Amino acid sequence: MAVTDEAIGKIKDMIVSGTLRPGDRLPKESELAAGLGLSRNSLREAVRALSLIRILEVRQGDGTYVSSLDPQLLLEAVSFVVDFHRDDTVLEFLAVRRILEPAATAMAASRISDRELDALGAQLDALGAEPSVEELVAGDLEFHRGIVGASGNSVLCSLLDSLSGTTTRARVWRGLTQEDAVGRTLHEHRAILGALRDRDAEAARSWATVHIASVEQWLRSTL
């Protein structure tokens, strides 16, 4: 592993320094191994590891390329790791989301377009007054994804997207067991949308905090 780690570090240095840029094709294996002072086996292991976390892309019959290094692509690895969370760590993920998502919602208040606001409103209207828990959770994910996307920060958007999936089970459970969870969620969504329409960043931040904290508070009381 130490030799593989060294190989990974050397390829990383080439990318960070700009020697290799997004979309560049890596030199032939024999040339790259000789140039970096590595064995071909350790180089192959490093390429395999970096491909798994989307730094490199191996194209059969064509060679190995540096990926786009787009935040959404790179943070898929975070989402993969997060999927292994235990039930008792859901609260920790919710706490992180409670820190980040209200900030993203406040950022969106000055950036979100009228067209995007209308789309969010239409999405809420389509749910109706009594959606199923599954419909509500799916709608909740899309609602917040749309708002965070309007923040203009692709890293924040991708990071929150990877974190939100971990709380889906908690939200479904809440919808099945807590009285008026559906109605409360819809009300909070309307309040967030209203604050965004008013371009009131602090109100949008506050309602987003309330929205996430209510799930967190309920889950804390049930564990």
Side-chain angles (χ1 to χ4, degrees):
M1 284 301 298
V3 177
T4 302
D5 288 344
E6 179 187 2
I8 290 172
K10 288 185 175 182
I11 295 173
K12 175 186 173 183
D13 288 343
M14 292 179 71
I15 296 172
V16 171
S17 69
T19 303
L20 288 173
R21 297 181 179 278
D24 281 355
R25 186 180 187 276
L26 269 64
K28 292 181 180 178
E29 183 182 270
S30 57
E31 296 174 6
L32 185 58
L36 295 177
L38 301 168
S39 71
R40 294 176 71 169
N41 282 339
S42 63
L43 179 60
R44 288 192 197 110
E45 289 299 321
V47 167
R48 186 175 295 113
L50 291 170
S51 297
L52 287 174
I53 59 173
R54 304 300 185 93
I55 301 296
L56 299 179
E57 178 186 352
V58 178
R59 303 176 188 173
Q60 294 299 325
D62 188 22
T64 300
Y65 291 78
V66 180
S67 74
S68 66
L69 302 182
D70 181 80
Q72 185 171 4
L73 183 69
L74 299 182
L75 285 169
E76 284 183 9
V78 175
S79 180
F80 179 80
V81 172
V82 165
D83 282 341
F84 288 94
H85 77 284
R86 304 184 309 274
D87 287 346
D88 60 351
T89 60
V90 173
L91 279 169
E92 295 182 13
F93 287 114
L94 279 169
V96 174
R97 187 179 161 213
R98 179 162 48 85
I99 294 168
L100 297 179
E101 192 161 308
T105 304
M107 290 167 64
S110 62
R111 294 177 171 88
I112 194 166
S113 68
D114 289 339
R115 180 180 57 80
E116 289 171 318
L117 288 169
D118 289 343
L120 290 173
Q123 180 186 327
L124 292 180
D125 291 341
L127 280 176
E130 297 182 359
S132 67
V133 173
E134 291 76 13
E135 290 172 337
L136 181 68
V137 171
D140 185 62
L141 286 168
E142 287 305 310
F143 181 78
H144 292 290
R145 184 177 288 127
I147 293 172
V148 174
S151 72
N153 188 311
S154 60
V155 175
L156 187 56
C157 184
S158 299
L159 183 57
L160 279 167
D161 204 38
S162 68
L163 291 174
S164 293
T166 66
T167 61
T168 299
R169 283 168 59 197
R171 281 179 285 176
V172 171
W173 188 18
R174 179 193 187 205
L176 290 171
T177 60
Q178 189 179 44
E179 184 179 356
D180 198 34
V182 172
R184 185 177 301 130
T185 298
L186 292 174
H187 170 71
E188 290 164 356
H189 281 182
R190 291 286 182 188
I192 293 170
L193 181 59
L196 291 174
R197 284 195 184 280
D198 291 340
R199 308 296 177 179
D200 188 333
E202 290 310 308
R205 185 197 305 273
S206 296
W207 275 112
T209 302
V210 167
H211 180 56
I212 299 165
S214 66
V215 179
E216 187 180 356
Q217 183 180 32
W218 167 82
L219 184 59
R220 192 182 302 279
S221 70
T222 63
L223 290 178

